[in-house]
């Protein structure tokens, strides 16, 4: 597909401040490279890249004089839900619906026939309480699942209308197939959240699974089923033409065009999104697109957290559960091997323990916090819903690897600090009394969390965090956004949602999509003809 140069408008300044020639949207040249009079946008294909429809190609070609309205970076649940809302699917309150929350019910009756997207989200969400800090996330969750926190199963008070005239042109860029990181999780793993909480608007997981003749396990679904559900959702809702898989974003830059004349309204910023697209034959091509708005929806699984100890880069030290799966599959670790060392006290570490136990692989489980620490996630999970995790917690209570254990092949090291790894597959610890201990291991899994990889942003996005002087963290220091639009408080036109904005469960990331879609729709309404 050819994109032909048009007469360039006034030059503008990109951040960091430097003068560069203006490029029309769709130009597939990296920022700073020589400009040609003509270029080609790479056309992706399946798999891993999802093929763009002819309408998408025509849209890009026709829009060479106009930037895209929205580019969404990330195709997990957040990006999928936002694409659904931007595709003209509009939520209304059912006329016969009665919400069990009396204050919310009263507010919903004040604007009959008006879409939730067009109402005051601040006003509607006022007074709601729940398991999330985001008021809009609580609102959307309450509308989709009115009494779920009380064990009920009331039908959503929303009905959905597909109003194509309200659709906003957008593109969703993702490394994987739609569903994002869910495709990287071992398929038999069971979700932490209940299966019904993993669903997206207007397609319940339980209904989808019944049609697939699948069932929930203790009200929870497997990661494989959920990954399939998200991919299926995109197809069933007709969103596929908006998605480009196999796309890795390497740079996002922005700047404000100069006003066309004195006294004119200040123009909105423009964003240039550059990256690399991997096709079916594994060939890679650069791409570069322009947009008036960019939404960050990349999640937090891109960059596993490190211990920062000597030897962590040795080949037997890994930071993903998939390494244990691969080693088990090829026989690199067996019941006769030295123990697998698992470092961490969260659910990922617990999943690794359960996986190793399933294959009778011996385990040393090390963690710095005491077992009874109320901050441990195991102490916050109901035993009836999560028996397997409470079994791991019970195993962790073993005080010393040197003492007899009722769990053959498992030893815990509570309160131990890992000091270093040696070339000969030894791990050196300091115990709570300050004594150093050395253990021979076959494989190491360091599973202590992950950080978002925003290296494609200026300064890796640090200036966007709530505390710019601290590392960006989904749990402790997320991107600072307006709670009712999810637009960055530091940069107009830049949005963040999902874990990047502090919403860490699928059931709550959808509220961020509602806030972003509402904000973008209002922008489009105000846009001059």
């Amino acid at each position: 597909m050819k994109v032909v140069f048009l007469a360039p408008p006034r030059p503008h300044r990109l951040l960091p401040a430097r003068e560069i020639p203006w490029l029309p949207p769709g130009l597939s040249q990296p920022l700073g490279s020589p400009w040609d009079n003509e270029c080609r946008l790479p056309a992706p294909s399946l798999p891993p890249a999802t093929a763009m429809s002819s309408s998408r190609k025509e849209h890009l070609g026709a829009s060479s004089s106009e930037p895209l309205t929205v580019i969404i970076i990330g195709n997990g649940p957040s990006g999928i839900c936002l694409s659904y809302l931007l595709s003209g699917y509009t939520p209304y309150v059912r006329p016969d619906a009665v919400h069990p929350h009396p204050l919310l019910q009263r507010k919903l009756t004040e604007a009959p026939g008006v879409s939730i997207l067009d109402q005051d989200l601040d006003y509607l969400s006022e007074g709601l309480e729940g398991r999330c800090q985001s008021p809009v996330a609580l609102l959307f969750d309450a509308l989709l699942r009115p009494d779920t926190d009380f064990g009920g199963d009331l039908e959503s008070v929303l009905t959905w209308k597909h109003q194509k005239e309200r659709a906003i042109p957008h593109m969703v860029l993702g490394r994987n197939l739609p569903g994002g990181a869910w495709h990287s999780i071992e398929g038999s793993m069971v979700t932490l959240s209940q299966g019904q909480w993993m669903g997206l608007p207007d397609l319940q997981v339980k209904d989808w699974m019944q049609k697939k003749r699948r069932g929930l396990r203790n009200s929870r679904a497997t990661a494989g089923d959920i990954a399939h559900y998200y991919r299926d959702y995109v197809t069933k809702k007709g969103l596929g033409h908006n998605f480009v898989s196999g796309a890795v974003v390497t740079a996002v830059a922005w700047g404000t065009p100069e006003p066309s004349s004195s006294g004119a309204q200040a123009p909105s910023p423009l964003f240039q999104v550059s990256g690399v697209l991997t096709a079916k034959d594994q060939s890679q091509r650069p791409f570069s697109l322009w947009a008036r708005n960019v939404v960050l929806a990349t999640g937090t699984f891109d960059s596993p957290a490190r211990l920062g100890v000597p030897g962590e880069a040795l080949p037997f030290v890994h930071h993903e559960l998939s390494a244990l799966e691969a080693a088990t599959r090829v026989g690199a670790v067996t019941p006769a091997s030295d123990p697998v060392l698992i470092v961490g006290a969260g659910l990922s570490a617990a999943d690794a323990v359960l996986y190793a136990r399933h294959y009778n692989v011996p385990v040393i489980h090390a963690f710095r916090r005491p077992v009874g620490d109320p901050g441990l996630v195991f102490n916050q999970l109901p035993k009836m819903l999560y028996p397997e995790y409470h079994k791991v917690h019970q195993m962790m209570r073993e005080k010393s690897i040197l003492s007899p254990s009722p769990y053959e092949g498992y030893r815990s090291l509570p309160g131990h600090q890992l000091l270093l790894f040696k070339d000969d597959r030894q791990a050196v610890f300091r115990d709570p009394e300050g004594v150093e201990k050395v253990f021979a291991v076959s494989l190491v899994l360091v599973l202590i969390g992950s950080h978002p990889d925003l290296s494609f942003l200026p300064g890796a996005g640090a200036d966007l965090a709530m505390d710019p002087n601290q590392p960006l963290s989904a749990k402790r220091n997320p991107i600072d956004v307006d709670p009712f639009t999810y637009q960055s408080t530091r940069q107009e036109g830049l949005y963040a949602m999902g874990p990047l904005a502090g919403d860490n469960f699928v059931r709550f990331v959808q509220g961020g999509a509602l806030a972003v879609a509402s904000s973008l729709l209002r922008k489009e309404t105000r846009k001059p003809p």
Side-chain angles (χ1 to χ4, degrees), residues 42-45 49 52 173-174 244-248 275-279 282-287:
S45 55
M52 280 193 295
L173 304 177
V244 180
S245 298
V248 176
V276 177
L277 187 71
T278 302
Q282 299 304 306
S283 63
Q284 294 185 329
R285 301 178 182 179
F287 67 85

Side-chain angles (χ1 to χ4, degrees), residues 92-376:
Y92 291 85
V93 176
R94 289 188 289 109
D96 60 338
V98 178
H99 200 282
H101 192 293
L103 178 59
L104 180 56
Q105 170 62 20
R106 179 178 62 78
K107 292 178 180 179
L108 294 175
T109 59
E110 293 173 359
V114 178
S115 165
I116 296 296
L117 287 168
D118 298 325
Q119 296 193 42
D120 185 341
L121 301 182
D122 186 352
Y123 173 67
L124 288 179
S125 60
E126 185 180 6
L128 295 178
E129 297 179 351
R131 303 182 183 184
C132 177
Q133 298 299 315
S134 166
V136 181
L138 290 174
L139 170 64
F140 204 26
D141 186 61
L143 297 173
L144 292 169
R145 293 168 281 270
D147 63 344
T148 189
D149 280 336
F150 301 99
D153 193 23
L154 277 180
E155 184 182 359
S156 170
V157 299
L158 298 178
T159 185
W160 293 87
K161 299 180 181 179
H162 192 196
Q163 300 173 318
K164 295 181 179 179
E165 69 279 6
R166 293 172 63 97
I168 295 178
H170 63 281
M171 182 183 292
V172 186
L173 304 177
R175 294 172 180 263
N176 303 313
L177 294 168
W182 285 94
H183 291 286
S184 303
I185 302 174
E186 203 282 318
S188 64
M189 291 293 178
V190 180
T191 62
L192 173 62
S193 297
Q194 295 185 41
Q196 62 180 349
W197 294 350
M198 305 302 296
L200 298 175
D202 202 31
L203 181 61
Q204 292 194 43
V205 169
K206 64 179 182 181
D207 295 338
W208 178 85
M209 293 190 74
Q210 284 176 356
K211 290 183 179 180
K212 297 292 181 181
R213 297 186 178 181
R214 302 283 293 170
L216 297 174
R217 300 183 187 178
N218 198 19
S219 300
R220 293 149 66 199
T222 66
D225 282 336
I226 294 302
H228 189 186
Y229 164 83
Y230 291 141
R231 189 175 171 186
D232 227 22
Y233 185 93
V234 170
T235 302
K236 288 182 177 297
K237 298 301 182 182
L239 310 178
H241 64 284
N242 297 315
F243 283 72
V244 180
S245 298
V248 176
V249 174
T250 57
V252 175
W254 56 83
T256 303
E258 295 178 2
S260 57
S261 61
S262 59
Q265 181 179 354
S268 298
L270 279 177
F271 296 83
Q272 186 182 27
V273 179
S274 305
V276 177
L277 187 71
T278 302
K280 180 180 180 180
D281 61 2
Q282 299 304 306
S283 63
Q284 294 185 329
R285 301 178 182 179
F287 67 85
S288 188
L289 301 165
W290 290 82
R292 291 196 296 270
N293 300 278
V294 167
V295 182
L296 305 174
T298 56
T300 63
F301 294 99
D302 287 329
S303 181
R306 260 73 174 167
L307 291 166
V309 301
E312 194 169 4
L314 288 169
F316 63 91
V317 181
H318 303 273
H319 298 81
E320 296 178 350
L321 176 58
S322 57
L324 176 59
E325 299 164 7
T328 304
R329 192 162 50 244
V330 300
V333 295
T334 69
S337 304
D338 284 331
V340 169
L341 171 60
I342 298 171
V343 181
L347 296 178
S348 295
D351 285 337
V353 170
L354 291 168
Y355 189 91
R357 295 278 293 169
H358 178 74
Y359 288 96
N360 296 315
V361 173
V363 171
I364 297 175
H365 187 189
F367 44 96
R368 295 186 60 177
R369 299 165 82 172
V371 179
D373 188 331
L376 281 181

Side-chain angles (χ1 to χ4, degrees), residues 437-456:
K437 296 179 179 178
V438 181
F439 300 98
V441 298
S442 60
L443 188 78
V444 177
L445 294 180
V446 178
L447 302 173
I448 55 175
S450 58
H451 302 298
D453 180 7
L454 298 179
S455 57
F456 55 84

Side-chain angles (χ1 to χ4, degrees), residues 501-512:
D503 297 335
N504 291 295
F505 292 96
V506 172
R507 92 182 250 204
F508 294 123
V509 302
Q510 299 170 62

Side-chain angles (χ1 to χ4, degrees), residues 370-439:
V371 179
D373 188 331
L376 281 181
V377 67
F378 307 103
N379 293 317
Q380 304 169 29
L381 299 177
K383 291 185 179 181
M384 293 295 292
L385 281 179
Y386 307 100
E388 73 279 24
Y389 288 132
H390 280 277
K391 184 65 174 179
V392 173
H393 192 206
Q394 181 181 346
M395 294 162 62
M396 290 166 62
R397 294 184 182 277
E398 297 304 314
K399 296 296 183 182
S400 170
I401 196 166
L402 301 177
S403 64
S405 169
Y407 306 106
E408 183 179 357
Y410 174 90
R411 295 291 186 272
S412 68
L413 294 178
H416 282 60
Q417 180 184 0
L418 209 160
L419 300 179
L420 60 96
F421 300 107
K422 295 184 175 182
D423 292 340
D424 57 354
R425 294 181 183 260
Q426 289 189 329
V428 182
F429 287 90
R430 180 182 294 123
D431 72 9
E433 287 72 41
V435 178
E436 289 192 6
K437 296 179 179 178
V438 181
F439 300 98

